[in-house]
Amino acid sequence: MLVGVTALVAAIVAARTPWRLLVRSMRPPLVFIGLGAVSVAVTVTVTPHFSVAITSASLTRAGEVTGRALAGTLSVLLLPVTTPVSDILAGLRRLRVPEACVDVAALMYRMLFILLDSLGTIRESQTARLGYTSPRRAMTSAGLLGAAVLTRAWDRARRLEAGLAGREFTTSMHTVEYRRSSSPRFVMVSVTVLAAIAAVSLTVSGRWAG
């Protein structure tokens, strides 16, 4: 939990990320974390007879899984809420990541907003046609929505590929890079915090093992 708290403080206090944005970003992962916690907490046995039970050991294990998942999710979200994508792509190029991988990541990022716009338009149209007035209609509309977005994504990718091939595109798609000076104080504080977390984690794990 120390890692999760550190990432949360760094995002909200240090980076001044709006907490509402962070909460909205955490909603989808929380669904999967909750489902995973329930599946770990509930113990199902088949032999000698079928039974479903919740034990103290399974609850402890579910708490550990939930804590690690939350810490990992907050740590991953700390990067996109503090670093522009152009800086991430430039950093990948400086790390000698293959240009093909960087170009694919850039295209996925650019097309993501197009697909999100299509998703919002289709859902708004379905809502206007009372497509979510009942659980049965909502399930049907959600299936049609997924199929429509998938079809549009496939069509846009095919047209993009044809357009690039028609232009004999062979070079990489570079983005504008803004050279920023490194802050020795920031680097020192970051290394100190990471070292402190590692030291505390090793100390605590050593005490539990003993």
Side-chain angles (χ1 to χ4, degrees):
M1 295 305 296
L2 184 60
V3 175
V5 172
T6 303
L8 188 63
V9 172
I12 295 181
V13 178
R16 299 180 181 179
T17 303
W19 65 269
R20 294 180 183 272
L21 174 62
L22 201 61
V23 170
R24 288 199 304 268
S25 302
M26 284 290 295
R27 286 178 183 174
L30 283 177
V31 175
F32 292 96
I33 294 174
L35 293 176
V38 171
S39 64
V40 173
V42 178
T43 303
V44 180
T45 57
V46 180
T47 57
H49 54 79
F50 179 81
S51 64
V52 179
I54 299 177
T55 63
S56 58
S58 64
L59 287 177
T60 302
R61 183 59 179 168
E64 293 176 355
V65 172
T66 302
R68 292 178 180 177
L70 287 174
T73 303
L74 288 172
S75 300
V76 171
L77 286 178
L78 182 61
L79 178 64
V81 300
T82 57
T83 309
V85 175
S86 58
D87 291 350
I88 296 177
L89 297 178
L92 292 176
R93 290 191 175 94
R94 287 194 295 269
L95 292 175
R96 303 298 182 183
V97 176
E99 288 290 343
C101 298
V102 180
D103 290 341
V104 169
L107 284 174
M108 290 176 61
Y109 178 75
R110 292 173 182 177
M111 293 188 66
L112 179 63
F113 295 98
I114 299 176
L115 294 180
L116 287 176
D117 182 67
S118 300
L119 180 68
T121 302
I122 297 173
R123 181 176 175 82
E124 183 178 358
S125 177
Q126 289 178 336
T127 304
R129 294 184 175 88
L130 306 179
Y132 294 91
T133 55
S134 65
R136 184 182 181 87
R137 288 186 176 181
M139 185 175 298
T140 303
S141 299
L144 294 175
L145 177 62
V149 172
L150 180 62
T151 303
R152 288 196 178 189
W154 185 272
D155 179 66
R156 287 181 181 274
R158 183 184 57 81
R159 287 189 294 169
L160 178 62
E161 181 183 8
L164 293 176
R167 295 179 178 89
E168 296 184 357
F169 181 81
T170 56
T171 59
S172 60
M173 296 177 294
H174 288 280
T175 55
V176 178
E177 297 185 20
Y178 296 95
R179 294 290 180 178
R180 296 180 175 86
S181 59
S182 178
S183 172
R185 179 181 178 184
F186 176 79
V187 174
M188 183 178 62
V189 171
S190 301
V191 172
T192 302
V193 171
L194 292 176
I197 293 176
V200 172
S201 301
L202 292 175
T203 303
V204 173
S205 62
R207 290 179 180 177
W208 285 356

